Amino acid sequence: MYLPEASLDAIEQAVTDQQPGAGEMMMILLGDANRPDLGALVERLRCRGIWFFGGFFPGLIHDAVVYESGALILKLPARMKPVVVRGLDRQPEAPPDLAIASAGQGESAATAIVLVDGFAANIALFLAELYDRWGGEVHYLGAGAGSLSLKQQPCVFTQDGVFQDAAVVAVVAAGSAIGVRHGWRRLAGPVVATQTRRNVIAGLNWRNAFAVYRETVEADAHRPLEPQTFYDVAKEYPFGLLKEGQEDVVRDPIAVNAAGELICVGEIPEHAALNVLKGRPEWLIAAADQASLACRLPAGAQPLHSLVMDCISRRLFMGARIADELGAIQRRFQAVAPGLPLEGALTLGEIASYGEGYLEFFNKTVVTGLLYQLPRPSAAPAGVRA
Amino acid sequence: MTDDTDPGPPPDPVGAIVAEIALLYELAMAVGRSLDLRSNCEQFIRVLMARKNLSYAAVWLRRDLMVDTPLNRAVPEAAGPSLALVYAHPQYRVEQTVLPANHPMLALLGDQGAYSVAAGQPGFAELVTERRIAPQGAFALLSLNGLGVLKFYSMARVAPFSEVELNQLRPVVGQFARSLASSLHHQRALREEQVRDARKLEAVAILAGGVAHDFNNILQAIRGYTELLQERFQVVDAVAAADLQTIIGQVNQATTLTRQLLAFGRRSMLTRQPIDLDLLLAGLAPKWTALAGPAIAVHVRPSSRPAMVRADAESIQQMLLCLVENAIEAMPAGGCLDVGLEPVSLAGTRNTEEPAEVPAGDYFRLSVTDTGCGMTADARKHLFEPFFTTKFVGAGLGLPAAYGIVKQHDGAMQVDSEPDRGTTVRVFLPALAAALAPETPADARAGSGTCILVVEDEKHILEIVKLVLGQRQYRILVAHDVQQARALYDQAGGTVDLLISDMVLTKDGDGISLANQLRQRQPRLGVVLMSAYTDYQTRWPAIIEHGYRFLAKPFTLAHLVATVEEELVRSKPIKAEIGEAES
């Protein structure tokens, strides 16, 4: 449910009204604008003895409409208590063991919703550790939380507190069908990231990163790319990291520093080959449509929630046409899950795995997911032994 | 809606080749960035997996090339060198860690140096040495220049990796193999140094233990005669008596030193019995937090399962206290102290992360990490030598004593430290065999979902029973008296599997009557009765008649857990049979 007013009282009341019981948890996504004090919110809900997790985001999505404030509150079946993994500024803590039954092939028994501090330095390392430990036992869907002000602050929470440089992971007792697409296309490249430090590109093709990037962008944009107005132009020209058999993994350059180094959202491996990408609203909308089309429910599945994590930078790029993108996703989902509103957030980075492949942190991408439950297998007839 | 009229960019064969070269360049640059075997593998494999969108990758090396150890020497390789798994990602797929020399993987790879097969083709099933590999996707094998095999798997593929793809990768993988050879050489050199250091410490420990033992006898004599003199002078010469007291004080100090030397020399008197390290940590954590003060954040991370070892609890506490005190002293300006505990299996693959001096097997790894000043390689080398200290206080016997305690428990100790980057001390203690059942999903765990009703009028005992069993995933209901117990049992609606009750409940009855009542309603209810009274024998007939289990207080926590597990095992098969008969 979506609450236009995210006051402590309103959220507490909404959570109480949904009556979460044993084996259930609440996901609370907050819009960055006019959000309540997270510490006070956690204290209030902790007193109710329930499991919950969440974060704040540049925007919320409910029924395919974007809101900059308010709260989105979803009750979810829980496999385990939501957990926090700290230390994403240094060496992330080891994720806990995942003790759940193995899923059948092509289906997931559970879905991990992963919300990270979008400004943490070691998100890729954390995801690698998570995948190392949990692998394909669950499907993954998640996003980077935080503020569009680009100021890092505590932005994710669970019943255990409010956290910065951390991730919260909630394992939902529901399968999921997940789609990941972005629609950006290669304009130029590859160029080699010859010198990088985590999310900073210092050198491209053995030259200053900004100089190389500016040449490529200005040749296509036909307008100057200046440090002061960098993102006005750069938002249309992200980088793409090669991933075989899939779209490039997008990295969004959001600023340039005095040394001509490009600051990106997400890590850039040193020596990686990058393409400079370009987008058009219609390509991005088509990609979102494809992502939702990829979410196929198994036979007999009962859909629970239609979810979307859509990068805030897509909205900054597309403007009002973000409504077309969300509308396209909702139309596809309504065909298989009628009556379920499309819900989610405008995010600072998106998280999913490509099927059974590597778990990735994406930029400028849309991750769609249908959570579902399968009917329990009927009991064996009397007199028949397994 | 999809824009079906837009076909997207046209195919670009030149761009495709450039992209392939760029990928190979990135892979080549990821090779050999560390001499450490694991880091070397990790950096290359993770780039390979990310770019090729793989589901699994592993590095298998010939065991005869691994660092030589008594363990490896003891295993003859009759049919040629077997293979050991030295790196795999993701870990959750890992199943086999050693493969015999005649494993089909080597035969399939043959002399070609590269091989790939997809699901449904002959040879695919023989290659599956991992968990949770579906009958779909494709495997590829690439030779590591005779050192072993690089194996990877893509679940997304429906056909084998093409010859062109494998040929593109071969030079880069060859380069990776050469870097592995360097890592192995480095590992061997490091291990030889470790063994040399361990032998040197061993010799010093024997000497120190012997000296301390003899010195203790001398101190005993000095102390005895001093006390005799003290008795004699106590009345007649107060000054002499005071001087004699000073001598006794000095003897006490000398005794402390010799005890530490004895610990270092592994000659302490130990009473080893099953203890749960998890509980030990939980009990010590508040003391460490108080000791650390407000400037140091203390995190204690327990094990994900019971951590049973056979150990002398007092010595282990002494060893942990020493490590924690050292860590705190290394952070005068504050920082983070992290104490972790986790089960580990030492596979005998003998990479440098595994301690040299203990055999393969299941262990619990205690780690104490600080963010303090760290130490130089030279200081690290001498750390366990008696009387070596980097501090201005202390005799330099704390860590040698801790080291001796660990050795006396058949364990091992490792230290990682760099100046200004903190220190991690890892202690490996052998796990009790019963404590390390194969990891199974929570639903299948002994404790998971099993409901235990605990009835005890003594608050502290109730708390400790609840804590211990709760940690083992049992669902615990607690009651202080019979009336409350009955109410809880009714509320639980027949889901209680076991009753643990004190025999004498001061308020309103006794455990035997309660057990009898509940057994009438649920004939297969497990029952464990406890008592601190010595006359419980008078109730033996009633206990024996109903087949109840009995725990005499005080009991060890390990005994409590074992009794509960035995009682549940005793009652469960009967329940299953009844269930089947009823169906």
Side-chain angles (χ1 to χ4, degrees):
Chain A
M1 69 179 296
Y2 173 70
L3 286 179
E5 186 212 348
S7 68
L8 291 176
D9 289 339
I11 294 172
E12 188 178 16
Q13 188 61 50
V15 167
T16 309
D17 289 347
Q18 295 201 38
Q19 299 181 326
E24 292 178 320
M25 61 189 167
M26 304 302 297
M27 179 167 81
I28 303 167
L29 308 183
L30 300 167
D32 185 25
N34 303 321
R35 64 186 151 81
D37 178 73
L38 295 189
L41 176 65
V42 166
E43 278 309 309
R44 285 258 193 128
L45 297 180
R46 188 152 49 193
C47 294
R48 302 221 157 249
I50 56 170
W51 291 352
F52 60 92
F53 69 99
F56 70 79
F57 296 86
L60 299 178
I61 298 162
H62 176 71
D63 206 12
V65 177
V66 169
Y67 301 91
E68 286 173 1
S69 61
L72 198 60
I73 301 173
L74 274 65
K75 184 166 78 173
L76 301 167
R79 275 279 181 182
M80 54 193 250
K81 186 178 172 184
V83 293
V84 184
V85 179
R86 279 171 278 225
L88 270 59
D89 52 336
R90 296 175 288 130
Q91 178 72 24
E93 293 173 353
D97 285 338
L98 178 72
I100 65 169
S102 186
Q105 289 307 323
E107 294 167 5
S108 66
T111 303
I113 295 186
V114 184
L115 304 181
V116 299
D117 175 349
F119 294 108
N122 283 320
I123 294 172
L125 187 56
F126 156 69
L127 293 178
E129 292 294 322
L130 187 66
Y131 186 68
D132 197 39
R133 202 167 270 229
W134 293 9
E137 289 299 282
V138 293
H139 283 175
Y140 302 87
L141 183 149
S147 167
L148 202 51
S149 69
L150 306 186
K151 182 185 162 208
Q152 191 181 17
Q153 53 197 303
C155 59
V156 291
F157 57 87
T158 70
Q159 63 285 327
D160 296 321
V162 185
F163 305 96
Q164 179 177 315
D165 284 316
V168 298
V169 186
V171 182
V172 185
S176 54
I178 295 193
V180 187
R181 289 284 192 282
H182 55 69
W184 301 86
R185 293 183 184 172
R186 292 177 185 174
L187 168 69
V191 291
V192 178
T194 44
Q195 192 184 350
T196 68
R197 299 186 308 275
R198 289 186 181 146
N199 63 328
V200 177
I201 308 175
L204 286 171
N205 284 355
W206 299 271
R207 293 172 55 205
N208 177 273
F210 179 59
V212 174
Y213 180 68
R214 178 155 65 179
E215 286 168 11
T216 307
V217 169
E218 287 183 345
D220 186 78
H222 305 296
R223 53 192 162 135
L225 178 66
E226 301 295 344
Q228 298 77 15
T229 54
F230 179 82
Y231 196 63
D232 291 344
V233 180
K235 69 184 179 190
E236 298 172 25
Y237 298 96
F239 289 112
L241 278 163
L242 180 73
K243 191 170 188 82
E244 198 172 276
Q246 305 287 350
E247 289 181 311
D248 287 354
V249 175
V250 181
R251 287 288 175 264
D252 198 6
I254 53 171
V256 58
N257 65 19
E261 298 171 330
L262 303 176
I263 319 294
C264 300
V265 178
E267 289 159 67
I268 309 282
E270 196 158 64
H271 309 300
L274 302 173
N275 290 297
V276 178
L277 309 180
K278 180 182 180 173
R280 285 189 194 155
E282 58 270 25
W283 296 346
L284 272 60
I285 294 166
D289 187 51
Q290 290 296 321
S292 48
L293 199 58
C295 298
R296 295 191 186 92
L297 291 177
Q302 180 66 40
L304 291 180
H305 291 285
S306 303
L307 299 178
V308 61
M309 297 295 176
D310 203 349
C311 191
I312 181 66
S313 67
R314 292 172 76 88
R315 188 199 188 194
L316 295 177
F317 173 69
M318 283 197 279
R321 292 202 66 187
I322 191 79
D324 297 341
E325 171 156 300
L326 297 174
I329 299 168
Q330 174 141 296
R331 271 193 298 281
R332 289 285 186 198
F333 278 1
Q334 289 286 336
V336 290
L340 284 183
L342 181 68
E343 296 174 301
L346 295 178
T347 58
L348 297 168
E350 302 71 47
I351 293 168
S353 59
Y354 274 119
E356 277 290 324
Y358 214 67
L359 185 58
E360 285 279 7
F361 185 61
F362 302 101
N363 298 160
K364 285 177 135 51
T365 297
V366 58
V367 175
T368 57
L370 277 172
L371 297 187
Y372 62 80
Q373 282 186 321
L374 290 170
R376 285 175 178 274
S378 54
V384 176
R385 288 191 187 186
Chain B
M1 198 167 291
T2 308
D3 182 0
D4 293 329
T5 59
D6 182 356
D12 175 11
V14 175
I17 290 173
V18 172
E20 285 165 1
I21 292 170
L23 167 69
L24 294 172
Y25 172 78
E26 187 184 356
L27 279 171
M29 295 303 285
V31 167
R33 299 182 80 174
S34 169
L35 270 176
D36 176 73
L37 188 61
R38 185 184 161 77
S39 302
N40 190 357
C41 292
E42 187 170 83
Q43 287 173 14
F44 179 72
I45 294 293
R46 291 203 174 174
V47 173
L48 178 71
M49 289 189 71
R51 297 292 161 262
K52 300 291 281 183
N53 201 19
L54 301 176
S55 311
Y56 175 76
V59 176
W60 291 86
L61 293 184
R62 279 168 40 192
R63 286 190 80 194
D64 62 325
L65 297 174
M66 312 295 285
V67 172
D68 197 14
T69 68
L71 176 84
N72 269 355
R73 280 199 298 271
V75 181
E77 302 269 16
S82 56
L83 294 176
L85 183 69
V86 295
Y87 180 82
H89 184 71
Q91 278 286 317
Y92 90 103
R93 286 197 194 273
V94 171
E95 186 163 78
Q96 288 172 258
T97 54
V98 177
L99 296 177
N102 58 357
H103 189 272
M105 190 160 87
L106 290 171
L108 287 169
L109 185 60
D111 298 328
Q112 301 298 312
Y115 175 78
S116 181
V117 63
Q121 295 181 324
F124 182 87
E126 285 90 328
L127 283 185
V128 179
T129 58
E130 300 80 17
R131 297 191 295 166
R132 294 157 188 161
I133 296 288
Q136 66 185 79
F139 276 113
L141 306 174
L142 285 165
S143 169
L144 291 169
N145 293 356
L147 300 179
V149 180
L150 170 68
K151 179 183 186 182
F152 48 88
Y153 169 71
S154 165
M155 188 177 264
R157 297 200 177 219
V158 290
F161 289 79
S162 72
E163 191 181 344
V164 170
E165 266 182 290
L166 296 177
N167 283 339
Q168 282 176 349
L169 288 173
R170 281 172 73 165
V172 180
V173 172
Q175 194 183 335
F176 175 54
R178 284 188 287 279
S179 75
L180 291 178
S182 300
S183 291
L184 287 172
H185 179 76
H186 176 67
Q187 192 187 50
R188 194 170 293 116
L190 270 182
R191 182 49 56 99
E192 282 167 7
E193 193 180 334
Q194 283 174 4
V195 170
R196 260 197 319 273
D197 289 346
R199 283 185 187 143
K200 186 174 135 194
L201 266 184
E202 192 78 31
V204 176
I206 290 168
L207 178 70
V211 169
H213 177 260
D214 291 350
F215 211 72
N216 246 2
N217 287 336
I218 297 168
L219 286 173
Q220 180 60 57
I222 294 172
R223 187 189 177 95
Y225 282 108
T226 309
E227 285 177 356
L228 283 176
L229 285 172
Q230 222 180 1
E231 277 179 22
R232 208 176 293 167
F233 285 104
Q234 207 156 18
V235 182
V236 295
D237 188 342
V239 175
D243 289 346
L244 290 169
Q245 186 57 43
T246 306
I247 292 174
I248 288 178
Q250 291 300 304
V251 168
N252 287 345
Q253 279 191 26
T255 306
T256 305
L257 285 176
T258 54
R259 274 199 193 128
Q260 287 181 311
L261 277 173
L262 280 172
F264 172 59
R266 288 149 245 179
R267 295 176 77 160
S268 296
M269 291 295 291
L270 299 183
T271 309
R272 291 176 68 175
Q273 56 186 13
I275 61 166
D276 188 340
L277 289 174
D278 235 7
L279 280 178
L280 195 74
L281 284 192
L284 293 171
K287 289 179 196 163
W288 294 340
T289 305
L291 195 65
I296 295 175
V298 180
H299 299 293
V300 177
R301 293 178 292 106
S303 164
S304 54
R305 59 179 109 173
M308 300 303 294
V309 294
R310 187 173 295 282
D312 180 279
E314 199 178 324
S315 300
I316 297 295
Q317 285 189 41
Q318 183 193 334
M319 178 269 295
L320 280 169
L321 180 64
C322 169
L323 301 185
V324 166
E325 280 178 343
N326 277 347
I328 291 170
E329 284 173 19
M331 299 183 284
C336 284
L337 169 63
D338 184 282
V339 183
L341 174 64
E342 58 185 338
V344 290
S345 281
L346 303 185
T349 54
R350 300 298 141 196
N351 59 51
T352 46
E353 289 185 350
E354 294 193 356
E357 61 275 32
V358 290
D362 293 323
Y363 290 78
F364 284 103
R365 182 171 59 199
L366 270 162
S367 57
V368 178
T369 302
D370 66 62
T371 55
C373 55
M375 62 187 114
T376 61
D378 191 51
R380 214 164 56 233
K381 205 174 161 73
H382 298 288
L383 203 57
F384 299 129
E385 292 173 10
F387 305 110
F388 174 81
T389 179
T390 55
K391 301 181 290 188
F392 295 109
V393 293
L397 280 172
L399 270 178
Y403 178 81
I405 289 168
V406 172
K407 296 296 289 182
Q408 208 172 350
H409 282 85
D410 308 314
M413 214 177 211
Q414 283 180 331
V415 179
D416 282 346
S417 186
E418 280 182 49
D420 300 325
R421 301 196 64 175
T423 299
T424 295
V425 181
R426 295 187 193 87
V427 173
F428 296 79
L429 293 172
L432 265 183
L436 266 171
E439 195 171 356
T440 52
D443 295 347
R445 278 191 193 171
S448 184
T450 302
C451 180
I452 300 178
L453 173 59
V454 185
V455 193
E456 170 61 74
D457 51 8
E458 175 57 48
K459 185 181 155 200
H460 299 296
I461 296 175
L462 189 66
E463 279 303 313
I464 192 73
V465 172
K466 183 182 165 192
L467 179 71
V468 172
L469 297 179
Q471 280 182 346
R472 281 157 182 78
Q473 315 298 321
Y474 292 106
R475 190 159 68 90
I476 308 297
L477 306 174
V478 293
H480 300 280
D481 53 48
V482 171
Q483 192 183 354
Q484 196 184 4
R486 283 201 206 103
L488 279 175
Y489 181 86
D490 290 342
Q491 279 171 23
T495 62
V496 175
D497 297 286
L498 177 72
L499 167 73
I500 301 178
S501 177
D502 194 15
M503 279 183 47
V504 180
L505 297 161
T506 49
K507 190 175 164 193
D508 60 353
D510 68 278
I512 291 185
S513 304
L514 175 65
N516 290 346
Q517 287 165 14
L518 298 187
R519 270 277 178 92
Q520 277 183 357
R521 295 168 63 181
Q522 186 180 333
R524 295 299 170 191
L525 177 72
V527 175
V528 175
L529 297 171
M530 316 178 280
S531 181
Y533 290 97
T534 50
D535 65 344
Y536 58 81
Q537 286 90 341
T538 57
R539 310 294 302 273
W540 268 127
I543 295 171
I544 291 166
E545 180 190 342
H546 296 98
Y548 298 148
R549 278 184 188 266
F550 181 76
L551 265 176
K553 296 178 189 171
F555 47 77
T556 65
L557 300 182
H559 192 188
L560 167 68
V561 172
T563 306
V564 165
E565 285 173 355
E566 283 166 16
E567 180 63 4
L568 285 169
V569 168
R570 188 170 70 161
S571 57
K572 267 186 182 167
I574 299 169
K575 280 183 189 169
E577 284 163 22
I578 290 170
E580 287 178 7
E582 282 168 352
S583 68

